[in-house]
Amino acid sequence: MSFFDEVEKHFGNRCLYAALSLEKEADEKQIKRAYHKFSLLCHPDRSSEDKKETNKVRFQILSKIHSVLSDKEKRAVYDETRELSDESDIFTQNKDWESYWRVLFKKVSKKDIEEFEAEYKHSDREAQDLKQCYVEFEGDMEQIMDNIMCSTFEDEERFCELIRKWISDGEVPEYEAFVKDSKKNKKKRKKQAKKEETEADELAKELGLNKDASLENMILARKADRQKDQENFFAKLEEKYAKKPKTSGKRKRKDKNQNFE
């Protein structure tokens, strides 16, 4: 079976760009980001035992695709001919694709997390993200909280105060979902937040972090699709701790990840 047969088998398309949901004009940063996003869903370290072998093959195919599109010469040949100059090289069995992946996406440190959170929270950037999410999700606080980086349940009232001010100033519409948000819904969100903190405690142990360190626990609990713009910091953070996207809420995210698990 040829390389392109493998791509079609596992991703439903013989086009390397389409396999990563990219346009042909994608730049190097977009290619790396797409590879990272999709490889997280089938990385061997994150796969259940019954999916490990299948996901291992998918992970290898993704890595091979990236090795072509990230190499200027190989990509130029592919763009011109839709073939590869040396397909046998792509199929080398000696290449350690997991090591290849780790070189590209190094593990984030505790200090990185602390510095980013200190810089982001209460910033203009956070306010802009909050305003965008409020409009995008039409005032649904559950989805808003799911999509604001570094946010915890304790931030919700602060966010609500900002939103109420924007409504009063005419900067955003007054959505019914926000105005009529009930105490019951808030209690439900608090319960979910506590559940995620418990899950994060388990992940923190794997990192060797103090389980009482709320910052690390909060960060690790965030799900992969909460990182809307997937900046370099959070792309690294997702390396080992990305989780399946949540499907609750009235509206679905616009950029849904392909689910390989």
Side-chain angles (χ1 to χ4, degrees):
M1 185 177 289
S2 74
F3 173 58
F4 294 105
D5 289 338
E6 291 279 0
V7 173
E8 183 173 25
K9 175 182 176 181
H10 291 285
F11 301 99
N13 199 304
R14 298 180 72 85
C15 174
L16 303 189
Y17 294 103
L20 295 182
S21 296
L22 291 169
E23 300 293 334
K24 182 180 177 181
E25 296 73 25
D27 59 28
E28 183 178 343
K29 184 176 180 181
Q30 291 171 318
I31 291 170
K32 183 177 179 181
R33 183 180 299 168
Y35 165 54
H36 185 262
K37 179 175 70 173
F38 288 115
S39 64
L40 283 171
L41 297 170
C42 57
H43 194 286
D45 286 352
R46 300 187 61 248
S47 300
S48 59
E49 286 301 319
D50 61 325
K51 298 290 185 181
K52 191 173 288 290
E53 287 304 314
T54 299
N55 280 348
K56 182 178 180 180
V57 175
R58 288 169 173 160
F59 175 76
Q60 291 173 342
I61 296 297
L62 277 169
S63 299
K64 293 170 185 176
I65 292 171
H66 179 263
S67 73
V68 172
L69 298 184
S70 62
D71 184 294
K72 290 184 178 180
E73 292 184 5
K74 291 179 182 177
R75 183 179 179 181
V77 171
Y78 174 70
D79 286 346
E80 182 68 26
T81 67
R82 280 297 189 263
E83 296 179 357
L84 300 177
S85 56
D86 188 356
E87 188 171 320
S88 62
D89 180 59
I90 297 298
F91 272 101
T92 177
Q93 297 301 309
N94 298 321
K95 192 169 183 65
D96 186 341
W97 293 109
E98 290 186 47
S99 294
Y100 172 83
W101 194 85
R102 291 190 188 101
V103 168
L104 291 173
F105 308 110
K106 299 183 185 299
K107 187 176 290 185
V108 69
S109 71
K110 177 180 175 180
K111 183 179 179 182
D112 291 330
I113 296 172
E114 291 173 338
E115 290 178 351
F116 182 85
E117 195 232 17
E119 194 175 297
Y120 180 77
K121 296 195 80 167
H122 300 275
S123 68
D124 289 342
R125 171 67 184 284
E126 181 193 55
Q128 291 170 3
D129 289 347
L130 175 60
K131 187 178 292 187
Q132 180 179 341
C133 283
Y134 172 76
V135 174
E136 179 178 354
F137 299 113
E138 298 182 355
D140 186 330
M141 284 305 299
E142 180 174 0
Q143 296 201 66
I144 291 169
M145 294 302 296
D146 278 350
N147 287 280
I148 299 296
M149 294 186 291
C150 300
S151 66
T152 68
F153 179 79
E154 284 71 25
D155 294 304
E156 183 168 338
E157 186 52 40
R158 176 170 66 90
F159 290 166
C160 287
E161 288 180 8
L162 284 170
I163 292 169
R164 284 192 286 266
K165 183 179 184 302
W166 293 333
I167 292 173
S168 177
D169 293 344
E171 295 183 38
V172 295
E174 185 179 64
Y175 291 116
E176 183 177 353
F178 177 76
V179 176
K180 295 187 176 181
D181 192 31
S182 67
K183 290 182 179 180
K184 181 179 179 180
N185 288 339
K186 291 180 181 179
K187 185 176 180 180
K188 179 182 176 183
R189 289 194 293 272
K190 184 175 182 179
K191 182 178 180 181
Q192 178 63 28
K194 289 185 178 297
K195 178 182 177 183
E196 290 187 352
E197 286 177 3
T198 300
E199 293 172 350
D201 278 337
E202 297 174 0
L203 294 175
K205 288 178 183 178
E206 187 174 340
L207 266 184
L209 300 175
N210 181 343
K211 71 176 183 178
D212 295 322
S214 60
L215 170 61
E216 293 88 349
N217 292 350
M218 175 275 294
I219 292 290
L220 295 178
R222 309 323 293 170
K223 301 186 179 182
D225 72 335
R226 292 182 186 182
Q227 317 315 322
K228 286 175 65 74
D229 54 356
Q230 298 195 352
E231 294 182 342
N232 289 338
F233 171 83
F234 279 92
K236 293 177 183 177
L237 187 64
E238 289 173 340
E239 174 182 339
K240 198 168 180 65
Y241 300 102
K243 299 170 163 183
K244 292 181 182 179
K246 185 167 64 177
T247 57
S248 62
K250 295 187 299 182
R251 300 177 61 186
K252 295 182 179 179
R253 295 294 313 278
K254 294 181 179 179
D255 180 24
K256 278 294 181 183
N257 290 346
Q258 194 172 340
N259 189 354
F260 294 132
E261 295 188 314

